[in-house]
Amino acid sequence: MQTAIATVCLSGDLAEKLEAIAAAGFKGVEIFENDLLTFNGTNHEVRQRMADLGLTPIAFQPFRDYEGWDEARRTRALARAERKFDAMAELGCDLLMVCSNVSPEASGGVERAADDFRALGERARQRGFRVAFEALAWGRHINDYRDSWEVVRRADHPNVGVVLDSFHICAKRTDLRAIRSIPGDRIFLVQIADAPWLDMDIMQWSRHFRCFPGQGDLPIEDFMSALGATGYDGPLSLEIFNDQFRAGSSRGIAVDGRRSLIYMVDKMIERGGSALQRGSERLPPQSTCRGVEFVEFAVDEKAGAALGKMFSGMGFAKTGTHVSKDVSRWTQGGINLVINAEKDGFAHAYQISHGTSVCAIGLKVDNAAATLDRAERLLDKPFRQPVGPGELEIPAVRGLGGSLLYFIDQSSELGRVWDIEFKPTGEVSAAALAGAGLTGIDHISQSMQYEEMLSWLLFYSSLLVVEKTRELDIADPGGLVRSQVIQTADGALRIPLNGSQSARTQSSRFLSEFFGSGVQHIAFNSDDLVATMQRLVANGIKMLPIPENYYDDLEARGDLTPERIDLYRANNILYDRDEHGEYLQAYSQSFEELFFFEFVERRGYKGFGAVNAPIRLAAQARLARHPAVPSR
Ligand code: MG
Ligand code: MG
């Protein structure tokens, strides 16, 4: 299968775009005319650059407002087309993409449009070119692929074919079945774009919110299945207009594009294959995550002592020390936290650039080696560092902000990592292990630049069997925070991704304090949050004070008895419920303004307390301004 990407997807000038596209491993490129107009060089130079990079121009686009004109305007439109053909000759590109006329002055009529395309096709044939017709979802007369195909069918010219663009087709929920009856050799170009379902003007939606397959909600797999039935074996080209992509790094976005296609094609093979997947190999299956084996913090000596003290207060016991390194293991219930105070190696480098922070997360999977293999084939970046004597090489890839994602399984030696690499401290009684009643990790919340959110969504969802929730906007005193969760169906792994466009939100302040994206908070489960809170406060853990008004409002809602509200008020506990059950949550104050911990009691509830997030964010903002306010 030939994969391609339109230059319009990426930021930068044409030279940067072409380099990023080639570096990500694409062989084909759609040249967006505007990128040529702003390029400081000739078309011949662009052609040479593409050749040097091993790229083939698969289409030149767009040619707008062509069909349905009166005779005088048709003559002018054909003259305009000849100038595009001149540019294509210079570029070495043989396909012109024509999109349907949006002018209110154009006339309709399939037969008339077919005549126009027969004329254009003949001009193209004389110069050795082809033209492909795309129905824009907002075209004046032609806005449905079934009509653009009918125009192409009636034009009946070998140099005229149809374009299928998954956005224009799926966004209008057009029946996909008719795709199956288009002969594959009459389809000259397939453009792939996904998008989140948004209730908005379709043109604005298309121009700002398209995304790579796997990042949105459109039925791309159904589209691909229908396409598979046509026998089409031409290029699949990503055509994405997205503000986040335009603000992102062209190299990173190009890699995301390739990753999305590799992931999509693999799913298609799984669904039964077709001409499109010829020559493509299956990836190892998406990995099922069984939970979080550990979370590792990079610290210096001073922060290490303070963090250890905080862990103790939260009921964790120091159960192990590393056989050869300044690394300790802290345990409670099913939770393992690791404090890494080494003076060299990855964690140290991470600590230098980010300060005290989560530098790695270990995920429990069924097959760690296969997970790494899949990750590498999806162009994720593997991580290796020299291992000391007696240490295990734990498979890992780079995750958010350059942190590590380790893979641990029970079927290899990795399952015994604690026994192999750590000496028990011996000081820990069974009672101490029960600690403050924390049983497991409920979720790990990651903050990032808004522009990065789609990248990490794709990173997690292409590698692991996870579902994504709808995007939510959460009000922070400093602006809106966009939030989307990736999680396994059983909740073994839950990762809320938070991105902020305003520099004044808590999420953004975290990014600037922390020098980049990373883990902002970790939530632990408790079966009895009130008892846990009492234990934590007795141990000297400072909790986030929740304002009185919140509890007045809770009273007004009338869901809870006054006794329960008093209990929650006394323990700074926030409350929510959904159709599945109740949710109690409380927050620690932050560790050196860097990250914080959340404690939750999940009684069947499926969400993350989004209604309470503004209360929490405001309380944190207040505390940051007045740190002397005592904790209740
Ligand atoms: Mg298109
Ligand atoms: Mg949370």
Side-chain angles (χ1 to χ4, degrees), residues 30 61 97 99 134 136 163-168 191 210 239 241:
E30 272 185 69
Q61 64 129 324
M97 202 205 83
C99 44
E134 173 182 70
L136 294 175
V163 179
L164 298 178
D165 178 314
S166 65
F167 178 87
H168 290 297
Q191 293 179 319
R210 284 182 176 220
E239 188 198 30
F241 312 89

Side-chain angles (χ1 to χ4, degrees), residues 353-523:
S353 48
H354 298 273
T356 307
S357 51
V358 171
C359 64
I361 296 170
L363 297 184
K364 288 184 225 183
V365 297
D366 291 338
N367 185 332
T371 305
L372 179 64
D373 183 16
R374 179 177 176 92
E376 292 197 62
R377 299 227 234 151
L378 284 164
L379 313 179
D380 299 342
K381 294 193 204 86
F383 171 84
R384 291 183 183 90
Q385 74 176 354
V387 294
E391 286 180 6
L392 298 171
E393 182 169 353
I394 308 179
V397 292
R398 293 278 182 174
L400 181 68
S403 65
L404 298 183
L405 202 59
Y406 284 109
F407 308 121
I408 305 253
D409 60 31
Q410 291 303 320
S411 54
S412 69
E413 286 239 289
L414 296 170
R416 298 198 301 119
V417 62
W418 303 116
D419 301 335
I420 294 171
E421 292 203 4
F422 287 79
K423 288 184 299 231
T425 56
E427 297 162 11
V428 184
S429 67
L433 277 177
L438 301 180
T439 56
I441 292 178
D442 186 85
H443 60 272
I444 298 176
S445 176
Q446 301 193 318
S447 284
M448 60 203 71
Q449 307 290 348
Y450 175 68
E451 292 73 35
E452 295 180 278
M453 283 187 77
L454 286 170
S455 299
W456 294 105
L457 183 73
L458 182 64
F459 168 81
Y460 288 116
S461 55
S462 58
L463 182 61
L464 305 170
V465 181
V466 285
E467 49 200 39
K468 55 182 193 281
T469 62
R470 289 191 68 114
E471 280 194 350
L472 277 183
D473 283 331
I474 292 171
D476 176 287
L480 281 186
V481 175
R482 187 62 57 89
S483 180
Q484 189 162 25
V485 181
I486 63 109
Q487 58 189 359
T488 57
D490 63 359
L493 180 72
R494 299 186 183 98
I495 302 183
L497 309 176
N498 299 306
S500 171
Q501 285 174 294
S502 157
R504 295 175 54 239
T505 61
Q506 207 254 6
S507 203
S508 283
R509 281 198 304 277
F510 168 81
L511 297 183
S512 50
E513 299 269 340
F514 182 82
F515 309 110
S517 307
V519 171
Q520 184 211 34
H521 76 262
I522 299 170

Side-chain angles (χ1 to χ4, degrees), residues 97-332:
M97 202 205 83
V98 185
C99 44
S100 55
N101 201 330
V102 299
S103 171
E105 291 158 50
S107 303
V110 165
E111 197 54 51
R112 173 185 195 131
D115 277 345
D116 291 337
F117 271 92
R118 203 173 302 116
L120 185 60
E122 190 46 32
R123 298 281 190 111
R125 190 191 61 76
Q126 286 164 14
R127 301 191 57 173
F129 296 139
R130 299 173 302 144
V131 295
F133 186 33
E134 173 182 70
L136 294 175
W138 52 88
R140 179 73 181 178
H141 298 285
I142 306 286
N143 46 41
D144 181 316
Y145 78 90
R146 291 167 295 197
D147 292 336
S148 53
W149 161 235
E150 184 58 18
V151 168
V152 167
R153 199 184 67 77
R154 292 195 196 191
D156 192 23
H157 192 287
N159 294 55
V160 178
V162 72
V163 179
L164 298 178
D165 178 314
S166 65
F167 178 87
H168 290 297
I169 294 171
C170 297
K172 290 175 75 179
R173 301 179 197 263
T174 315
D175 193 328
L176 299 172
R177 274 174 299 185
I179 291 175
R180 295 174 182 270
S181 57
I182 305 175
D185 60 0
R186 306 305 300 145
I187 304 169
F188 282 4
L189 181 63
V190 172
Q191 293 179 319
I192 304 288
D194 201 343
W197 280 120
L198 296 171
D199 189 15
M200 66 185 292
D201 172 72
I202 194 165
M203 187 163 84
Q204 294 305 318
W205 182 23
S206 173
R207 291 193 174 161
H208 300 280
F209 296 98
R210 284 182 176 220
C211 55
F212 292 134
Q215 293 176 330
D217 306 321
L218 299 184
I220 301 296
E221 287 176 50
D222 296 339
F223 172 84
M224 290 300 298
S225 291
L227 182 66
T230 67
Y232 175 76
D233 65 354
L236 287 184
S237 183
L238 296 165
E239 188 198 30
I240 319 290
F241 312 89
N242 182 297
D243 299 340
Q244 283 160 275
F245 292 8
R246 289 186 194 108
S249 108
S250 52
R251 287 200 169 233
I253 299 295
V255 170
D256 284 354
R258 274 267 291 159
R259 176 178 296 131
S260 76
L261 285 177
I262 294 167
Y263 173 40
M264 182 186 79
V265 167
D266 188 60
K267 275 209 255 184
M268 296 317 301
I269 303 174
E270 191 181 359
R271 274 176 73 148
S274 71
L276 278 167
Q277 290 90 42
R278 214 174 292 135
S280 310
E281 239 181 272
R282 275 300 320 256
L283 306 178
Q286 263 175 312
S287 197
T288 300
C289 180
R290 305 290 174 186
V292 176
E293 181 66 36
F294 66 87
V295 177
E296 180 174 341
F297 294 78
V299 299
D300 62 15
E301 211 169 307
K302 186 163 156 278
L307 192 59
K309 188 162 170 255
M310 189 169 187
F311 287 175
S312 282
M314 289 175 0
F316 285 86
K318 184 176 173 179
T319 52
T321 52
H322 195 271
V323 289
S324 60
K325 291 178 172 168
D326 190 359
V327 174
S328 55
R329 174 194 185 191
W330 297 72
T331 311
Q332 179 172 191

Side-chain angles (χ1 to χ4, degrees), residues 63 66 76-86 96 120:
F63 185 55
Y66 169 70
R76 290 209 297 278
L78 283 168
R80 197 154 52 85
E82 291 287 354
R83 290 207 299 278
K84 307 293 175 197
F85 291 153
D86 295 341
L96 178 65
L120 185 60

Side-chain angles (χ1 to χ4, degrees), residues 443 445 521 523 583 585 587 598 608 616:
H443 60 272
S445 176
H521 76 262
Y583 192 54
Q585 48 182 170
Y587 295 90
E598 180 181 0
F608 295 83
R616 184 258 295 179

